[in-house]
Short mmCIF file of all heavy atoms in Angstrom, two decimals:
data_model
loop_
_atom_site.label_atom_id
_atom_site.label_comp_id
_atom_site.label_asym_id
_atom_site.label_seq_id
_atom_site.Cartn_x
_atom_site.Cartn_y
_atom_site.Cartn_z
N SER B 27 91.56 112.16 98.73
CA SER B 27 92.57 112.44 97.78
C SER B 27 92.88 113.94 97.66
O SER B 27 94.12 114.25 97.43
CB SER B 27 92.12 111.88 96.37
OG SER B 27 91.95 110.59 96.38
N PHE B 28 91.92 114.77 97.85
CA PHE B 28 92.17 116.22 97.68
C PHE B 28 91.65 116.88 98.99
O PHE B 28 90.60 117.52 98.96
CB PHE B 28 91.37 116.77 96.46
CG PHE B 28 91.75 115.97 95.19
CD1 PHE B 28 90.91 114.98 94.73
CD2 PHE B 28 92.89 116.33 94.45
CE1 PHE B 28 91.18 114.32 93.57
CE2 PHE B 28 93.23 115.62 93.33
CZ PHE B 28 92.35 114.63 92.80
N TRP B 29 92.50 116.82 100.06
CA TRP B 29 91.99 117.20 101.38
C TRP B 29 92.15 118.70 101.61
O TRP B 29 91.60 119.25 102.52
CB TRP B 29 92.80 116.50 102.43
CG TRP B 29 94.32 116.73 102.41
CD1 TRP B 29 95.19 116.08 101.65
CD2 TRP B 29 95.01 117.75 103.11
NE1 TRP B 29 96.44 116.60 101.78
CE2 TRP B 29 96.34 117.58 102.82
CE3 TRP B 29 94.59 118.74 104.08
CZ2 TRP B 29 97.34 118.36 103.30
CZ3 TRP B 29 95.62 119.50 104.61
CH2 TRP B 29 96.91 119.33 104.23
N HIS B 30 92.93 119.37 100.71
CA HIS B 30 93.15 120.81 100.90
C HIS B 30 92.87 121.46 99.50
O HIS B 30 93.12 120.94 98.51
CB HIS B 30 94.55 121.12 101.35
CG HIS B 30 94.85 122.47 101.86
ND1 HIS B 30 94.92 123.58 101.00
CD2 HIS B 30 94.98 122.95 103.13
CE1 HIS B 30 95.12 124.69 101.72
NE2 HIS B 30 95.22 124.31 103.01
N ALA B 31 92.35 122.74 99.53
CA ALA B 31 92.08 123.40 98.27
C ALA B 31 93.30 123.54 97.43
O ALA B 31 93.28 123.54 96.18
CB ALA B 31 91.50 124.78 98.56
N ASP B 32 94.51 123.58 98.08
CA ASP B 32 95.79 123.69 97.30
C ASP B 32 96.06 122.43 96.58
O ASP B 32 96.93 122.49 95.64
CB ASP B 32 96.98 123.97 98.26
CG ASP B 32 96.91 125.55 98.76
OD1 ASP B 32 96.10 126.34 98.25
OD2 ASP B 32 97.65 125.85 99.65
N CYS B 33 95.51 121.34 97.04
CA CYS B 33 95.75 120.02 96.29
C CYS B 33 95.11 120.13 94.91
O CYS B 33 95.49 119.31 94.04
CB CYS B 33 95.07 118.84 97.01
SG CYS B 33 95.82 118.50 98.58
N VAL B 34 94.22 121.09 94.63
CA VAL B 34 93.54 121.24 93.37
C VAL B 34 94.12 122.45 92.64
O VAL B 34 94.72 122.38 91.54
CB VAL B 34 92.07 121.47 93.60
CG1 VAL B 34 91.37 121.69 92.29
CG2 VAL B 34 91.47 120.30 94.33
N ARG B 35 94.04 123.64 93.25
CA ARG B 35 94.40 124.91 92.47
C ARG B 35 95.97 125.07 92.31
O ARG B 35 96.35 125.81 91.39
CB ARG B 35 93.91 126.07 93.26
CG ARG B 35 94.34 126.26 94.65
CD ARG B 35 93.51 127.27 95.43
NE ARG B 35 93.89 127.51 96.84
CZ ARG B 35 93.15 128.04 97.74
NH1 ARG B 35 91.91 128.52 97.29
NH2 ARG B 35 93.54 128.23 98.93
N LYS B 36 96.83 124.43 93.14
CA LYS B 36 98.18 124.66 93.03
C LYS B 36 98.91 123.82 91.90
O LYS B 36 100.10 123.98 91.70
CB LYS B 36 98.89 124.48 94.38
CG LYS B 36 98.49 125.40 95.49
CD LYS B 36 99.04 126.85 95.11
CE LYS B 36 98.86 127.84 96.30
NZ LYS B 36 99.40 129.09 96.06
N ILE B 37 98.16 122.91 91.45
CA ILE B 37 98.81 121.85 90.46
C ILE B 37 98.44 122.11 89.00
O ILE B 37 98.97 121.43 88.14
CB ILE B 37 98.46 120.40 90.88
CG1 ILE B 37 96.93 120.19 90.75
CG2 ILE B 37 99.01 120.04 92.26
CD1 ILE B 37 96.53 118.68 91.05
N GLY B 38 97.56 123.12 88.80
CA GLY B 38 97.14 123.43 87.43
C GLY B 38 96.02 122.54 86.99
O GLY B 38 95.82 121.39 87.39
N LEU B 39 95.22 123.03 86.02
CA LEU B 39 93.99 122.41 85.58
C LEU B 39 94.35 121.10 84.92
O LEU B 39 93.65 120.06 85.07
CB LEU B 39 93.28 123.25 84.66
CG LEU B 39 91.95 122.61 83.99
CD1 LEU B 39 91.05 122.17 85.08
CD2 LEU B 39 91.31 123.70 83.02
N LYS B 40 95.37 121.06 84.08
CA LYS B 40 95.75 119.81 83.25
C LYS B 40 96.10 118.73 84.21
O LYS B 40 95.53 117.53 84.02
CB LYS B 40 96.88 120.17 82.34
CG LYS B 40 97.21 118.95 81.35
CD LYS B 40 98.29 119.28 80.47
CE LYS B 40 98.67 118.07 79.58
NZ LYS B 40 99.77 118.42 78.59
N THR B 41 96.94 118.94 85.19
CA THR B 41 97.39 117.89 86.10
C THR B 41 96.21 117.49 87.03
O THR B 41 96.09 116.23 87.28
CB THR B 41 98.59 118.39 87.02
OG1 THR B 41 99.61 118.81 86.14
CG2 THR B 41 99.00 117.34 87.97
N PHE B 42 95.46 118.45 87.41
CA PHE B 42 94.29 118.10 88.28
C PHE B 42 93.32 117.23 87.50
O PHE B 42 92.74 116.23 88.05
CB PHE B 42 93.62 119.28 88.86
CG PHE B 42 92.35 119.00 89.59
CD1 PHE B 42 92.34 118.28 90.82
CD2 PHE B 42 91.13 119.37 88.96
CE1 PHE B 42 91.07 117.99 91.39
CE2 PHE B 42 89.89 119.02 89.61
CZ PHE B 42 89.96 118.40 90.87
N THR B 43 93.11 117.53 86.31
CA THR B 43 92.13 116.83 85.42
C THR B 43 92.56 115.36 85.34
O THR B 43 91.82 114.40 85.48
CB THR B 43 92.01 117.36 84.03
OG1 THR B 43 91.55 118.68 84.15
CG2 THR B 43 91.08 116.54 83.19
N GLU B 44 93.85 115.14 85.17
CA GLU B 44 94.31 113.74 85.04
C GLU B 44 94.17 113.00 86.43
O GLU B 44 93.84 111.79 86.41
CB GLU B 44 95.83 113.75 84.55
CG GLU B 44 96.37 112.40 84.23
CD GLU B 44 95.55 111.73 83.13
OE1 GLU B 44 95.03 112.46 82.23
OE2 GLU B 44 95.53 110.47 83.14
N ARG B 45 94.55 113.74 87.44
CA ARG B 45 94.46 113.10 88.79
C ARG B 45 92.95 112.80 89.15
O ARG B 45 92.64 111.76 89.76
CB ARG B 45 95.06 113.94 89.87
CG ARG B 45 96.60 114.07 89.77
CD ARG B 45 97.23 114.82 90.89
NE ARG B 45 98.64 114.92 90.69
CZ ARG B 45 99.46 115.58 91.51
NH1 ARG B 45 98.97 116.23 92.58
NH2 ARG B 45 100.77 115.63 91.28
N TYR B 46 92.05 113.73 88.76
CA TYR B 46 90.69 113.50 88.99
C TYR B 46 90.14 112.34 88.27
O TYR B 46 89.32 111.51 88.73
CB TYR B 46 89.90 114.77 88.68
CG TYR B 46 88.37 114.62 89.00
CD1 TYR B 46 87.84 114.58 90.28
CD2 TYR B 46 87.47 114.42 87.93
CE1 TYR B 46 86.52 114.43 90.56
CE2 TYR B 46 86.12 114.33 88.17
CZ TYR B 46 85.61 114.26 89.46
OH TYR B 46 84.28 114.14 89.67
N ARG B 47 90.67 112.20 87.01
CA ARG B 47 90.23 111.07 86.15
C ARG B 47 90.62 109.77 86.83
O ARG B 47 89.91 108.75 86.85
CB ARG B 47 90.91 111.21 84.75
CG ARG B 47 90.37 110.09 83.75
CD ARG B 47 91.30 110.09 82.53
NE ARG B 47 91.48 111.40 81.98
CZ ARG B 47 90.61 111.97 81.04
NH1 ARG B 47 89.56 111.32 80.70
NH2 ARG B 47 90.87 113.13 80.58
N ASN B 48 91.86 109.69 87.29
CA ASN B 48 92.35 108.54 87.94
C ASN B 48 91.57 108.15 89.21
O ASN B 48 91.35 107.06 89.59
CB ASN B 48 93.91 108.66 88.30
CG ASN B 48 94.71 108.69 87.07
OD1 ASN B 48 94.36 108.08 86.03
ND2 ASN B 48 95.90 109.37 87.13
N PHE B 49 91.27 109.32 89.99
CA PHE B 49 90.36 109.19 91.15
C PHE B 49 89.07 108.51 90.79
O PHE B 49 88.68 107.56 91.49
CB PHE B 49 90.19 110.52 91.78
CG PHE B 49 89.03 110.54 92.63
CD1 PHE B 49 88.97 110.05 93.94
CD2 PHE B 49 87.74 111.11 92.21
CE1 PHE B 49 87.85 110.08 94.75
CE2 PHE B 49 86.62 111.15 93.04
CZ PHE B 49 86.70 110.65 94.32
N CYS B 50 88.40 108.91 89.73
CA CYS B 50 87.14 108.37 89.38
C CYS B 50 87.36 106.90 89.01
O CYS B 50 86.44 106.02 89.37
CB CYS B 50 86.60 109.14 88.26
SG CYS B 50 85.98 110.83 88.70
N LYS B 51 88.37 106.61 88.21
CA LYS B 51 88.63 105.23 87.73
C LYS B 51 88.80 104.29 88.98
O LYS B 51 88.36 103.16 89.03
CB LYS B 51 89.80 105.25 86.81
CG LYS B 51 90.06 103.82 86.21
CD LYS B 51 91.16 103.96 85.25
CE LYS B 51 91.53 102.49 84.69
NZ LYS B 51 92.68 102.58 83.66
N HIS B 52 89.68 104.79 89.92
CA HIS B 52 90.04 104.04 91.08
C HIS B 52 88.83 103.63 91.97
O HIS B 52 88.65 102.58 92.41
CB HIS B 52 91.08 104.75 91.90
CG HIS B 52 91.50 104.01 93.19
ND1 HIS B 52 92.26 102.88 93.18
CD2 HIS B 52 91.15 104.30 94.49
CE1 HIS B 52 92.44 102.47 94.45
NE2 HIS B 52 91.76 103.35 95.29
N HIS B 53 87.93 104.54 92.08
CA HIS B 53 86.74 104.42 92.97
C HIS B 53 85.50 103.97 92.20
O HIS B 53 84.45 103.76 92.84
CB HIS B 53 86.40 105.64 93.69
CG HIS B 53 87.48 106.04 94.75
ND1 HIS B 53 87.52 105.46 95.97
CD2 HIS B 53 88.59 106.86 94.69
CE1 HIS B 53 88.60 105.91 96.70
NE2 HIS B 53 89.20 106.82 95.97
N GLY B 54 85.65 103.86 90.90
CA GLY B 54 84.45 103.36 90.09
C GLY B 54 83.40 104.50 89.86
O GLY B 54 82.18 104.11 89.72
N TYR B 55 83.74 105.68 89.77
CA TYR B 55 82.80 106.81 89.65
C TYR B 55 82.83 107.19 88.15
O TYR B 55 83.92 107.06 87.44
CB TYR B 55 83.11 108.07 90.44
CG TYR B 55 82.94 107.80 91.93
CD1 TYR B 55 83.99 107.85 92.83
CD2 TYR B 55 81.64 107.63 92.53
CE1 TYR B 55 83.88 107.68 94.19
CE2 TYR B 55 81.50 107.43 93.81
CZ TYR B 55 82.57 107.49 94.72
OH TYR B 55 82.47 107.27 96.10
N ASN B 56 81.72 107.69 87.59
CA ASN B 56 81.70 108.13 86.16
C ASN B 56 82.45 109.46 86.11
O ASN B 56 82.34 110.33 87.00
CB ASN B 56 80.26 108.41 85.85
CG ASN B 56 79.47 107.13 85.62
OD1 ASN B 56 80.00 106.09 85.30
ND2 ASN B 56 78.12 107.22 85.88
N PHE B 57 83.29 109.53 85.10
CA PHE B 57 84.11 110.73 84.90
C PHE B 57 83.35 111.68 83.92
O PHE B 57 83.04 111.29 82.77
CB PHE B 57 85.48 110.39 84.23
CG PHE B 57 86.27 111.58 83.85
CD1 PHE B 57 86.90 112.29 84.86
CD2 PHE B 57 86.37 111.99 82.50
CE1 PHE B 57 87.69 113.45 84.46
CE2 PHE B 57 87.13 113.08 82.17
CZ PHE B 57 87.83 113.92 83.25
N GLN B 58 83.03 112.81 84.38
CA GLN B 58 82.30 113.89 83.63
C GLN B 58 83.44 114.89 83.12
O GLN B 58 84.07 115.54 83.98
CB GLN B 58 81.29 114.56 84.41
CG GLN B 58 80.17 113.61 84.86
CD GLN B 58 79.18 114.28 85.85
OE1 GLN B 58 79.62 114.89 86.78
NE2 GLN B 58 77.92 114.09 85.60
#
């Protein structure tokens, strides 16, 4: 989902947090 560092740092913390939350939910990982 995040194959390049820019996939994280270029979208801002708020947007990345939401996308990371969705990533955890989709794959069944605990969201910390």
Side-chain angles (χ1 to χ4, degrees):
S27 297
F28 307 97
W29 62 274
H30 195 286
D32 286 353
C33 294
V34 178
R35 62 193 178 195
K36 294 290 187 180
I37 61 176
L39 177 58
K40 183 177 179 180
T41 302
F42 172 68
T43 298
E44 190 58 32
R45 290 184 182 179
Y46 180 74
R47 188 195 306 275
N48 291 334
F49 157 78
C50 290
K51 182 178 180 181
H52 176 73
H53 291 279
Y55 294 114
N56 290 329
F57 175 77
Q58 298 172 313

